[in-house]
């Protein structure tokens, strides 16, 4: 499809590129997943790349939305009317979004590629004006950006292997170096260089040659580069939709296997080789550069596929290990790890590309829920739900919710967003899952305590519609409250609050402002029980005072007859306390 071409590499071009890249990866996600045999044949490279770019695109959109809101409010007196964010603003947001949203080995490397480009494109903001007057100067900056991207990604990988996305990225940079002209010319040269390198990857990695596929990560990068071409020329390369994903497998004289033996070859090379790591560990890390250097050394000794990307105090760490606990402990010693994800490379999780293994039977119904802390994640999981962990300030993207729905592997799914601000994200995820043939009901829960109430009445043996109605009714009958700390001065429905004030919210609105957590919590509880109730649910965050739960339980016993109280530990959930009244 023809696109409106961007003439210069500015913030609008970054926005267009992210959008086109997300569309391209969305179209090719399943194809890329299917050819994923290295470094682990877990069939998720396309999905991981999609989620990474989705996070990058969301960050760029947030920059544009923030600028528009600022202009509308009269912020930024020096800005020209209608002026948008700068190129530096956009590429930094893109890189940061990719960093915090990176998934898997391929997504982590892509995040570093984008960071490398941002380092060049945002280095000299004064050059934006010069580039705007000289398209060839813009092309020169793109050449430098692609070179820095390839070099940065290669440096981030502990032991670079040829025949992977690193090879494809280097080839793209080499081809761009030899190109002249504007961004469209440079982008097309980079794409063609990457395409040729991708086609050669089976000759560099035996596991690819035996499986008869090209490198999945490189195939994903080709889709991203195709989007770059589309951004500046208005036309996506014709071969981008299915660019040489499969090649002829190696013959018997090259040590290849055929037929039913192919799946065994993939498992042996990439998953179940003797001594092969059993877990993928990935986390964000706040740490100083010197600590990260020591972390690299320690993790390199623990496992393989080590990739550490980022900088300026924030890093994304990815490694395959047998001792997942040791990998996390190494992060704790280096700084503050969070958004920790540990995936077991079990035989049942490996996706084959030739359907030798019979597919796992879908269950009839499942519940997928977004939860704000590790403690609640455990509670929901024990109740049978598939969970998506949402960290404070880091809401999940729609792609993560879709992935969770797929992971639930059910014909019918009840989706609980547990946050009013996630309703549209959840609706988009539900629509995509329905397009894949899954029956999805979205219950608009606005808090995790409403989700607990809904889950308590969930009966999978009931008719789907009846179950959804019952869960929706239980959630709607649950009032929800919250005690949290203000991050900045702002207007609220209860007046002006200062940074550090304790806020008490009831049904999403600030009802009381104070300084004492226990006093504010008691006030919130009294307001919620004024209209009656039979059950109080308290979910304590890690930073809540130890005595607050006991104080509230005693208050309920003394003042409200026949009202029961249940207390859960929510972990790092953002709020000090969540309150539910049924």
């Amino acid at each position: 499809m023809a696109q409106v071409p961007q003439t210069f590499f500015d913030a609008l071009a970054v926005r267009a590129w992210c959008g086109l890249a997300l569309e391209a990866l969305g179209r090719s996600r399943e194809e890329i997943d299917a050819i994923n045999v290295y470094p682990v044949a877990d069939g998720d490279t396309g999905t991981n790349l999609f989620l990474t770019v989705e996070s990058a695109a969301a960050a760029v959109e947030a920059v544009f939305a923030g600028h528009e809101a600022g202009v509308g409010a009269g912020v930024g007196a020096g800005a020209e009317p209608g002026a948008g964010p700068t190129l530096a603003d956009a590429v930094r947001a893109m890189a940061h979004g990719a960093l915090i949203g990176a998934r898997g080995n391929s997504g982590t490397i892509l995040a570093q590629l984008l960071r490398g480009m941002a380092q060049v494109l945002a280095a000299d903001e004064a050059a934006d004006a010069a580039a705007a007057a000289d398209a060839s100067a813009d092309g020169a900056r793109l050449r430098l950006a692609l070179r820095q991207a390839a070099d940065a990604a290669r440096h981030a990988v502990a032991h670079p292997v040829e025949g992977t996305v690193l090879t494809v990225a280097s080839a793209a940079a080499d081809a761009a170096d030899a190109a002249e002209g504007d961004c469209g010319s440079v982008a097309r040269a980079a794409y063609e260089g990457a395409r040729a390198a991708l086609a050669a990857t089976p000759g560099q990695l035996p596991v690819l040659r035996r499986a008869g596929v090209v490198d999945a990560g490189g195939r994903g990068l080709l889709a991203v580069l195709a989007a770059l071409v589309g951004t500046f020329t208005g036309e996506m390369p014709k071969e981008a939709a299915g660019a040489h994903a499969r090649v002829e497998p190696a013959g018997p004289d090259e040590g290849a296997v055929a037929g039913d033996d192919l799946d065994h070859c993939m498992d042996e090379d990439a998953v179940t080789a003797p001594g092969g790591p059993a877990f993928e560990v990935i986390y964000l890390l706040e740490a100083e550069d010197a600590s990260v250097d020591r972390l690299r050394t320690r993790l390199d000794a623990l496992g393989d596929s080590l990739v550490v990307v980022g900088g300026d105090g924030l890093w994304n760490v990815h490694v395959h290990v047998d001792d997942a606990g040791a990998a996390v402990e190494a992060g704790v010693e280096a700084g503050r790890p969070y958004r920790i994800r540990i995936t077991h490379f079990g035989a049942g999780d490996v996706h084959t590309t030739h359907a030798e293994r019979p597919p796992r039977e879908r269950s009839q119904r499942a519940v997928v829920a977004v939860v704000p802390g590790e403690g609640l994640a455990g509670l929901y999981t024990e109740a049978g739900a598939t969970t998506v962990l949402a960290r404070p300030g880091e809401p999940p993207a729609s792609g993560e919710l879709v992935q969770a729905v797929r992971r639930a592997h059910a014909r019918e799914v009840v989706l609980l967003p547990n946050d009013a601000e996630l309703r549209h994200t959840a609706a988009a995820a539900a629509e995509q899952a329905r397009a894949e043939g899954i029956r999805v009901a979205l219950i608009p829960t606005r808090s995790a305590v409403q989700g607990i109430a809904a889950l308590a009445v969930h009966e999978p043996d009931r008719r789907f519609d009846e179950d959804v109605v019952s869960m929706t009714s239980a959630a709607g009958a649950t009032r929800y409250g919250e005690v949290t700390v203000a991050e900045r001065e702002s207007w609220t429905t209860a007046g002006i609050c200062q940074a550090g004030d304790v806020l008490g919210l009831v049904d999403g609105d600030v009802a009381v402002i104070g300084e004492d957590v226990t006093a504010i919590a008691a006030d919130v509880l009294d307001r919620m029980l004024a209209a009656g109730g039979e059950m109080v649910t308290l979910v304590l965050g890690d930073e809540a005072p130890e005595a607050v739960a006991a104080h509230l339980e005693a208050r309920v016993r003394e003042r409200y007859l026949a009202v029961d109280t249940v207390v859960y530990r929510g972990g790092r959930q953002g709020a000090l306390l969540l309150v539910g009244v049924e």
Side-chain angles (χ1 to χ4, degrees), residues 517-557:
V517 173
T518 302
I520 294 297
D523 193 328
V524 168
L525 183 62
D526 289 342
R527 289 169 185 264
M528 294 178 69
L529 284 171
E534 299 176 353
M535 169 71 75
V536 172
T537 300
L538 305 175
V539 184
L540 272 71
D542 278 351
E543 297 181 3
E546 286 294 327
V548 68
H551 178 82
L552 295 179
E553 286 184 283
R555 191 179 189 86
V556 171
R557 284 195 304 269

Side-chain angles (χ1 to χ4, degrees), residues 202-229:
Q204 295 171 294
L205 269 181
V207 65
L208 300 179
R209 183 171 66 253
R210 288 194 292 268
V213 298
V214 297
D215 178 67
R219 172 65 186 88
L221 178 58
L222 191 68
V224 174
L225 291 172
L228 189 63
V229 175

Side-chain angles (χ1 to χ4, degrees), residues 168-451:
V168 177
S170 293
D174 290 343
D177 284 342
E180 296 181 355
D182 59 12
C183 286
S185 300
V186 174
R188 187 171 292 280
Y191 171 82
E192 293 297 340
R195 185 169 65 89
L198 178 65
T201 55
Q204 295 171 294
L205 269 181
V207 65
L208 300 179
R209 183 171 66 253
R210 288 194 292 268
V213 298
V214 297
D215 178 67
R219 172 65 186 88
L221 178 58
L222 191 68
V224 174
L225 291 172
L228 189 63
V229 175
T231 298
F232 291 110
T233 68
E235 292 287 343
M236 296 284 283
K238 292 182 180 179
E239 294 181 320
H244 308 298
R246 296 192 176 278
V247 296
E248 286 299 318
D253 59 332
E254 297 177 85
V257 290
D260 293 338
D261 292 330
L262 178 58
D263 182 47
H264 172 72
C265 166
M266 290 163 59
D267 289 353
E268 182 177 70
D269 281 333
V271 182
T272 59
F279 298 96
E280 176 186 59
V281 178
I282 186 168
Y283 50 79
L284 292 177
L285 177 71
E286 293 178 357
E288 299 297 325
D289 290 7
S291 299
V292 172
D293 290 339
R294 292 192 293 271
L295 176 66
R296 291 179 196 269
T297 301
R298 180 163 180 196
L299 291 180
D300 193 26
L302 287 175
D304 59 28
S305 295
L306 173 61
V307 185
V308 181
V309 304
D312 301 321
L314 180 62
W315 308 82
N316 192 306
V317 179
H318 171 279
V319 67
H320 295 172
V321 293
D322 280 322
D323 190 345
V328 175
E329 288 172 7
V332 172
E333 292 177 5
R336 186 179 80 87
Y338 60 104
R339 290 192 73 171
I340 301 168
R341 295 182 181 84
I342 299 174
T343 304
H344 180 250
F345 293 133
D349 296 325
V350 176
H351 297 203
T352 68
T353 59
H354 295 274
E356 292 90 343
R357 187 174 295 144
R360 178 164 61 96
E361 181 66 23
R362 286 184 180 272
S363 61
Q364 181 60 34
R365 190 174 308 158
V367 176
V368 172
V370 179
V371 292
E374 298 91 340
L376 281 177
L379 175 66
Y380 273 74
T381 300
E382 288 176 8
T386 297
T387 61
V388 177
L389 191 60
R391 294 290 187 185
E394 300 170 5
S398 63
E400 283 186 84
L401 301 187
V402 173
Q403 191 177 34
V405 170
R406 296 187 188 117
R407 194 168 70 246
H409 206 65
R411 298 181 183 88
E412 301 168 339
V413 171
V414 179
L415 183 56
L416 306 175
N418 290 340
D419 187 335
E421 295 184 1
L422 284 179
R423 184 170 182 178
H424 294 302
T425 300
E431 283 301 316
Q432 184 171 340
R434 291 181 189 120
E436 297 177 9
I438 303 170
R439 189 179 185 188
V440 180
L442 171 60
I443 297 179
T445 48
R446 294 170 288 177
S447 170
V449 291
Q450 288 190 323

